[in-house]
Amino acid sequence: MSLMEADCPAEATATSPLEGCACRSGLPPELCCALDLKTAARTSASPKVAAALARMAQAYDDGELILAEHFAHEALRTVPGHRDALGGLYNICKDTDRPQAAEALVRRMAALHPEDPVVRMNAALFFRSKSAFTEAAVHARVLLRLAPDVALAQRIMGLVFVSLHQAVGAEHHLRQAIALGDADEAETLVGLGQALRGQGRFEEARAAYAQALERIAAPGAEAVLSAWFELEEADGRLDEALALIERLAALAPDDPRVAIGRATILRRRQDPEAALAALGAPPPAGPHAPVRILAMKERGTILDALGRHDEAFAAFAAFKDQTAELTGNRYRAEAAAHQAQTLKAFFTAGRTPLLPRAGVRTDVAQPIFVVGFPRSGTTLVEQTLSSHPAIAAGDELPLIGQLTERLGGLLASEGSYPQALSELWFGDKTGLIDTLRDHYLNEAARMGVVHAGAAWFTDKMPLNETHLGLIHLLFPRSPIVHLVRHPMDVTLSVFFNALSHGFHCASTLDSAARHFALTADLVEHYRSVLPMRYLAVRYEDMVTDQEAQVRRLFDFIGESYDPSALDFHENPRPARTASYAQVTEKLYDRSRFRFRRYREQLAPVEPILRPWIERLGYGLDDL
């Protein structure tokens, strides 16, 4: 099913408190999620419909949302596919906290009016706001095709790329927006700062934020100061970060970002008691909903540092519950299981030897794939490896994922990934595996991930291990470093963080454990059918015997041991992921077997993880 065909969200199945469709739009199902889009009327010359739309618009402007909804329904009963009526009802549902209805309506508008740039703009902004960044990108791309000369279209594409951590593409579109005279240049400059930060160009990012502050009136500068604070905090410049928070406090003392910022700085300075006091009581409901939710995450982090583990877990659980309520994102268990099943069915012991492997190019740096479930220690290993002069840090490269999405077209196949790889069995297409390899390498070069003199660059995109089959075909001699950490620790840490990888598996403790088990099983399958150049590295061994493990890593890759790698925390390369704070400190063991402090809360998922605890070599004593 395509994005356009998925008219009603999967969650919209429960009985609604409002009469009508389960999505809570207030419309009857046959005019809403059960509407036949092929036959739905989209326009009307009826004066009655025109009058209803005019009254809807007036009532909405007057803040009379119940009345506005009445007139929207009246128009849609006659013309169920009318763009303006659907758009009006969409705005009303957003304003009245009915996200399922808003999602159903924005999907329907895009399906019925695919060439309307306003519709595509609203869809891109909606899905970005609910952290459905891949879907937001679909609509942003169509918007840009429809209006490439409009600054707003360029800005939205750039901001979506920022959310997808595609910093180079984001920079391109945001600079295009500025060149086109973006009327809201401050927001564009903030996005540009984030894109530059994502490329490690911190000084240029600071300049973009400073320029944004010059272009915006003081009451609107809060977003700029907040983004700039995040940059300085990530770079370890805590005094500068605190100064920015105090500037924010002077403008908006009740903004919850002020309390979060102060608390974060105090926690980073190892003063959790003061951090908790600075954070204060949970902010009441009101504006800044996403920020209020992040306050719960910060509270959990501080309480964990204080050893108040029951309270910490409750704060993290509230953070996850409120995030799910705000975004509507839930673990897509069926999609995850289907993907794993399809990959295992394609990459079999009988088939994979018949697939061609790409040759090794000697004229460019080669990738080192640092794989592992999120929060397993991949950033630590990348920071260690990139301390070596021959290894550049590529960070989270989206290139493998992009290849899986485009594989059908690149191989001129009627199927999609992984079935499209079957084209490579044909004699007239075997050479295309080198084309796919070059696509990856050319994109990496375009992104500027390789510095002069480097023989290698790292790619540590989370859950790249899902696609070890494709990685092996493209780079059969590239090192694959797989970070292994105690499954209970990984699951707990994933649950404690804001992650969207892996079909939103971090939504709940149960879904994190289930996706861990699903992924571990897939890796085990790949190892049984592919002769990969593979090395498993235990996070716990990196902590307890750092030098031996670092020597082992460089020996595996084929580079000489460099003692400076032990001082990875002094690596000037800025880490750009959630682990940035940890990798600017010396190696410590506070997170080793952290799960023991949360045994009671983890009890429900222990049966899911126990088989993998044993199969990955962790003893029962570790429990």
Side-chain angles (χ1 to χ4, degrees):
M1 179 180 292
S2 72
L3 293 176
M4 295 298 94
E5 292 169 334
D7 181 52
C8 187
E11 295 88 349
T13 56
T15 302
S16 170
L18 301 177
E19 292 184 6
C21 187
C23 77
R24 299 182 70 234
S25 69
L27 291 167
E30 64 273 12
L31 294 180
C32 193
C33 292
L35 177 69
D36 184 349
L37 300 184
K38 295 180 181 179
T39 62
R42 306 179 192 194
T43 61
S44 172
S46 166
K48 183 178 179 181
V49 172
L53 291 173
R55 291 172 181 170
M56 176 194 73
Q58 186 61 57
Y60 185 82
D61 289 343
D62 293 341
E64 299 286 347
L65 299 187
I66 294 175
L67 185 60
E69 184 167 353
H70 166 78
F71 287 120
H73 288 171
E74 182 178 316
L76 290 169
R77 279 193 289 270
T78 303
V79 195
H82 198 289
R83 189 204 76 161
D84 294 343
L86 289 169
L89 185 56
Y90 161 74
N91 286 328
I92 293 163
C93 289
K94 280 203 309 177
D95 294 348
T96 54
D97 195 25
R98 286 179 276 167
Q100 291 183 18
E103 182 172 345
L105 290 162
V106 78
R107 287 184 190 276
R108 193 170 311 135
M109 283 189 286
L112 291 168
H113 306 278
E115 301 300 310
D116 190 307
V118 175
V119 167
R120 293 293 189 168
M121 176 193 72
N122 283 330
L125 293 173
F126 174 81
F127 288 111
R128 180 171 179 261
S129 72
K130 71 187 296 287
S131 301
F133 303 130
T134 300
E135 191 160 358
V138 171
H139 299 288
R141 287 181 184 276
V142 177
L143 170 62
L144 192 65
R145 293 188 187 104
L146 293 170
D149 56 344
V150 176
L152 179 59
Q154 294 283 354
R155 187 211 311 165
I156 290 173
M157 189 75 257
L159 293 177
V160 168
F161 275 152
V162 167
S163 300
L164 286 168
H165 306 292
Q166 296 185 25
V168 174
E171 180 186 359
H172 169 81
H173 289 290
L174 294 166
R175 291 197 186 280
Q176 287 282 86
I178 293 170
L180 288 168
D182 195 338
D184 195 355
E185 195 170 340
E187 183 182 5
T188 304
L189 285 166
V190 170
L192 179 60
Q194 292 171 311
L196 293 166
R197 171 190 167 184
Q199 298 173 67
R201 294 156 61 186
F202 280 21
E203 286 303 323
E204 293 176 76
R206 291 182 179 102
Y209 292 140
Q211 190 176 358
L213 287 177
E214 294 173 359
R215 304 288 181 89
I216 194 168
E222 293 88 344
V224 184
L225 292 168
S226 179
W228 197 346
F229 161 81
E230 292 173 0
L231 168 71
E232 301 298 4
E233 192 257 327
D235 200 23
R237 291 163 41 114
L238 301 186
D239 289 340
E240 290 83 353
L242 184 59
L244 289 163
I245 278 296
E246 296 309 327
R247 288 176 66 180
L248 176 59
L251 287 178
D254 296 327
D255 190 318
R257 287 173 291 195
V258 172
I260 295 175
R262 288 170 174 162
T264 300
I265 297 299
L266 289 165
R267 174 175 56 79
R268 292 282 307 274
R269 288 175 168 165
Q270 309 301 319
D271 193 351
E273 290 283 4
L276 189 61
L279 191 60
H288 304 295
V291 181
R292 289 188 289 105
I293 292 172
L294 285 177
M296 298 303 299
K297 177 179 180 294
E298 182 64 24
R299 183 176 301 279
T301 304
I302 296 169
L303 289 167
D304 177 73
L306 287 168
R308 294 161 60 175
H309 300 125
D310 289 346
E311 296 173 79
F313 193 90
F316 285 121
F319 158 63
K320 284 303 174 78
D321 288 344
Q322 292 176 30
T323 298
E325 183 178 350
L326 177 70
T327 65
N329 294 330
R330 301 291 192 280
Y331 179 48
R332 296 169 54 210
E334 291 185 7
H338 175 73
Q339 180 191 63
Q341 182 181 8
T342 302
L343 289 166
K344 289 172 70 175
F346 183 84
F347 289 99
T348 65
R351 290 179 171 183
T352 51
L354 303 177
L355 287 166
R357 272 62 167 172
V360 178
R361 284 180 56 179
T362 59
D363 60 324
V364 294
Q366 295 295 296
I368 299 169
F369 292 95
V370 182
V371 303
F373 211 75
R375 310 298 297 167
S376 61
T378 55
T379 302
L380 166 64
V381 166
E382 181 182 56
Q383 200 78 346
T384 297
L385 292 176
S386 62
S387 298
H388 195 289
I391 303 175
D395 217 314
E396 297 181 356
L397 300 180
L399 305 179
I400 292 296
Q402 290 173 355
L403 274 173
T404 66
E405 294 171 0
R406 300 179 57 193
L407 202 63
L410 291 170
L411 294 177
S413 173
E414 295 181 0
S416 57
Y417 172 78
Q419 288 81 3
L421 288 169
S422 62
E423 300 291 333
L424 299 173
W425 281 318
F426 293 94
D428 59 348
K429 290 189 177 181
T430 56
L432 289 179
I433 191 66
D434 288 337
T435 303
L436 298 178
R437 173 207 63 197
D438 289 345
H439 179 88
Y440 176 100
L441 291 172
N442 292 341
E443 285 297 293
R446 184 186 62 80
M447 296 174 71
V449 302
V450 181
H451 59 66
W456 305 94
F457 63 92
T458 57
D459 180 345
K460 72 170 194 75
M461 187 67 185
L463 294 169
N464 254 353
E465 62 266 36
T466 303
H467 306 300
L468 285 178
L470 177 61
I471 288 171
H472 171 69
L473 297 181
L474 297 176
F475 300 101
R477 292 173 58 187
S478 275
I480 297 171
V481 179
H482 182 203
L483 266 293
V484 177
R485 186 181 177 190
H486 196 293
M488 297 276 268
D489 269 344
V490 173
T491 299
L492 183 71
S493 189
V494 164
F495 180 65
F496 281 2
N497 280 273
L499 304 171
S500 59
H501 304 295
F503 300 93
H504 298 289
C505 69
S507 300
T508 67
L509 196 65
D510 178 77
S511 61
R514 288 159 60 197
H515 200 70
F516 178 92
L518 187 76
T519 305
D521 179 70
L522 186 57
V523 171
E524 190 172 84
H525 172 78
Y526 281 131
R527 293 187 64 195
S528 71
V529 300
L530 294 170
M532 297 181 293
R533 187 180 172 190
Y534 171 95
L535 178 71
V537 176
R538 286 178 182 271
Y539 169 82
E540 293 83 4
D541 292 343
M542 283 288 293
V543 171
T544 58
D545 195 2
Q546 183 188 10
E547 181 175 343
Q549 293 304 311
V550 171
R551 287 181 178 277
R552 179 170 171 254
L553 271 171
F554 285 123
D555 183 61
F556 171 68
I557 292 167
E559 292 292 340
S560 60
Y561 170 68
D562 187 341
S564 67
L566 299 179
D567 298 319
F568 64 87
H569 55 285
E570 296 179 359
N571 187 339
R573 168 255 173 186
R576 298 184 288 276
T577 64
S579 304
Y580 64 85
Q582 291 95 318
V583 295
T584 58
E585 302 176 16
K586 289 186 177 181
L587 199 59
Y588 58 79
D589 64 358
R590 295 193 299 271
S591 295
R592 181 171 173 265
F593 300 137
R594 180 190 191 189
F595 74 88
R596 291 171 177 166
R597 308 163 200 159
Y598 293 94
R599 287 301 304 276
E600 181 179 348
Q601 293 87 351
L602 286 165
V605 301
E606 187 172 319
I608 300 171
L609 298 174
R610 180 175 284 274
W612 292 103
I613 293 170
E614 298 175 4
R615 286 160 78 172
L616 291 173
Y618 293 94
L620 295 181
D621 290 342
D622 295 329
L623 289 171

